[in-house]
Amino acid sequence: SNFAKLPGAQLQQINLLEIIHSSVNLFDKKKNTSVKINIDLKEMNVMGDKEQALRVFNNVLKNAIQATAEVENAEVIISAEETAETYTVKIRDNGCGIADAMKEKIFTPNFTTKSTGSGLGLAMVKNIISGFGGKIWFDSEENKGTTFYMEFKRCKL
């Protein structure tokens, strides 16, 4: 139902770095997984909607933390690369990975690999990022982990 109720994005300049830190702080209490931010940038200004961007990072981080639930020395590492046009945020976990048979369905609404959840999270994430003019993709290897890449257009000041 959240997917259906998603309000239209109110695009404005937002600092992705602040949103990433807010999201990490939300999950920081879950100490069985170490979440590290390896970003040297002072700010990452993009056109987006602050609430929706927070939903994006909360969802991808939650998935990464859940994927590492059964892993010893579980960790999630958030990094970023910048080009003249974009910022690409990478969220890498050393969790269970995504089976090859599941990969093409991962952004499909109502598809889930978990026993709980609606399967709307990553479909919503893709929809939000597309609304910002960006894109999302991933690499994954079973029993090794997954990296999600989220590309956002930089603000032109």
Side-chain angles (χ1 to χ4, degrees):
S1 63
N2 278 351
F3 194 62
K5 291 188 229 164
L6 204 59
Q10 303 298 311
L11 295 183
Q12 58 188 353
Q13 182 173 308
I14 58 174
N15 183 351
L16 274 187
L17 204 50
E18 288 175 4
I19 292 164
I20 290 166
H21 280 281
S22 294
S23 186
V24 168
N25 288 341
L26 186 69
F27 291 102
D28 208 27
K29 313 296 179 269
K30 304 197 183 318
K31 278 299 174 199
N32 39 340
T33 301
S34 161
V35 180
K36 295 185 181 111
I37 301 174
N38 288 348
I39 300 175
D40 292 334
L41 303 166
K42 298 282 183 260
E43 55 185 25
M44 297 169 60
N45 293 320
V46 303
M47 289 304 286
D49 178 293
K50 194 172 189 171
E51 290 298 313
Q52 289 187 7
L54 192 57
R55 281 185 185 189
V56 164
F57 288 103
N58 286 349
N59 192 283
V60 177
L61 260 180
K62 182 177 93 177
N63 287 349
I65 290 167
Q66 288 174 343
T68 61
E70 307 295 318
V71 176
E72 228 176 282
N73 301 317
E75 67 178 5
V76 175
I77 298 174
I78 305 168
S79 60
E81 293 176 2
E82 68 177 324
T83 69
E85 303 291 319
T86 64
Y87 291 108
T88 302
V89 178
K90 294 190 268 185
I91 298 182
R92 179 171 58 86
D93 69 64
N94 63 345
C96 57
I98 300 166
D100 287 343
M102 309 288 186
K103 288 180 180 176
E104 66 184 43
K105 300 176 190 153
I106 218 76
F107 295 111
T108 305
N110 301 315
F111 175 77
T112 183
T113 60
K114 298 179 268 191
S115 55
T116 60
S118 62
L120 293 177
L122 287 173
M124 178 189 67
V125 162
K126 184 173 185 172
N127 195 27
I128 290 170
I129 292 176
S130 294
F132 293 178
K135 55 188 172 187
I136 181 170
W137 68 98
F138 67 94
D139 289 326
S140 186
E141 192 174 337
E142 272 189 279
N143 304 313
K144 296 242 193 259
T146 301
T147 303
F148 273 89
Y149 303 87
M150 292 166 282
E151 184 180 274
F152 299 88
K153 289 184 178 174
R154 291 177 65 147
C155 276
K156 302 284 186 248
L157 298 177

